[in-house]
Amino acid sequence: MSNGFRVLPRVPGDPALVELFRDLPVANISDTLHRMSGALGLTPRHRGGYLLGTALTVKVRPGDNLMIHRALQLGQPGDVLVIDGGGVVERALIGEIMKRVAQARGFAGYIIDGAIRDAQAFADDDFPCYSRGITHRGPYKDGPGEINVPVSIGGAVVHPGDIVAGDRDGVVFIPPANAREIATATRKKGSDEVATMASIANGTYDDAWVQEVLASKGLR
């Protein structure tokens, strides 16, 4: 393989682990992950719907999508294309055609630390796509790039095979080795929030913790 071009073996996901996170609020998953595992600065571009799948990672030269096209050939249904474009938004890395290719091949969605174009086509569709920006300017197709390597997405390190979840709040990445523990803790947090909402509704909500924290900071 030539310098700057590298394709490593795909890391398969475990569908049973992925399904543990079906429709769980991303904010609750993020809290369970100590608020340290989500991508920052990416915006959902699709109309609606939950993103859930396995990370197929791509690192590209900013503004170049050659290796994204190759990843579209190599991926499997349920994969999420997680693309490290260096956060550069001067050139779009994908548009409507590549959206349609991914849909036709059963991909779960796109996460792009870079830009897209044909924004209205995404806004009119439920196929999940998150990006840092939008521009009409098209990409180069020369490379280099790498597939199935660790990438950086909005400050988060994503490994091939990580579980990816996304909703209107953003996206998070879950290590498969900790998936069961994280899913259990996330569901418990959801149950706790249901109880909190009920206490607000019936007038028994207790926020005495605020004074306790302030007192620990020296404010009496």
Side-chain angles (χ1 to χ4, degrees):
M1 80 186 55
S2 40
N3 187 38
F5 291 86
R6 184 167 57 141
V7 179
L8 299 184
R10 176 177 173 273
V11 178
D14 182 338
L17 293 181
V18 172
E19 283 301 313
L20 292 174
F21 295 89
R22 175 70 59 188
D23 294 327
L24 291 184
V26 162
N28 287 359
I29 301 172
S30 176
D31 285 354
T32 302
L33 290 164
H34 306 290
R35 302 173 170 90
M36 293 182 66
S37 183
L40 301 177
L42 274 60
T43 300
R45 307 298 177 182
H46 52 293
R47 180 174 55 198
Y50 195 82
L51 168 64
L52 184 64
T54 301
L56 192 165
T57 60
V58 188
K59 184 174 179 61
V60 301
R61 177 170 70 98
D64 190 293
N65 74 359
L66 175 63
M67 294 302 274
I68 303 174
H69 283 280
R70 182 58 177 146
L72 283 169
Q73 296 175 334
L74 297 174
Q76 299 292 323
D79 284 348
V80 179
L81 280 162
V82 181
I83 300 161
D84 179 356
V88 177
V89 297
E90 280 72 23
R91 292 189 177 274
L93 293 175
I94 69 165
E96 183 177 8
I97 289 175
M98 294 177 77
K99 176 180 78 71
R100 289 178 178 265
V101 171
Q103 286 177 285
R105 295 179 181 173
F107 284 81
Y110 278 107
I111 296 174
I112 304 169
D113 201 342
I116 67 165
R117 66 177 180 177
D118 303 325
Q120 193 61 50
F122 288 90
D124 291 340
D125 199 339
D126 292 330
F127 185 69
C129 177
Y130 297 78
S131 78
R132 184 168 297 278
I134 297 171
T135 181
H136 58 85
R137 298 178 69 189
Y140 301 108
K141 300 182 185 297
D142 301 310
E146 299 181 314
I147 298 173
N148 288 320
V149 298
V151 296
S152 175
I153 305 292
V157 177
V158 186
H159 295 273
D162 280 355
I163 298 168
V164 182
D167 61 16
R168 301 311 291 179
D169 285 341
V171 293
V172 291
F173 310 101
I174 303 127
N178 306 113
R180 295 189 187 280
E181 174 188 352
I182 294 165
T184 298
T186 301
R187 292 184 186 282
K188 181 182 183 305
K189 180 172 178 57
S191 297
D192 291 344
E193 289 191 349
V194 170
T196 298
M197 298 296 187
S199 73
I200 295 170
N202 64 29
T204 62
Y205 176 64
D206 182 3
D207 56 2
W209 65 269
V210 177
Q211 288 91 327
E212 294 170 2
V213 172
L214 290 174
S216 74
K217 307 295 183 182
L219 179 62
R220 301 289 178 179

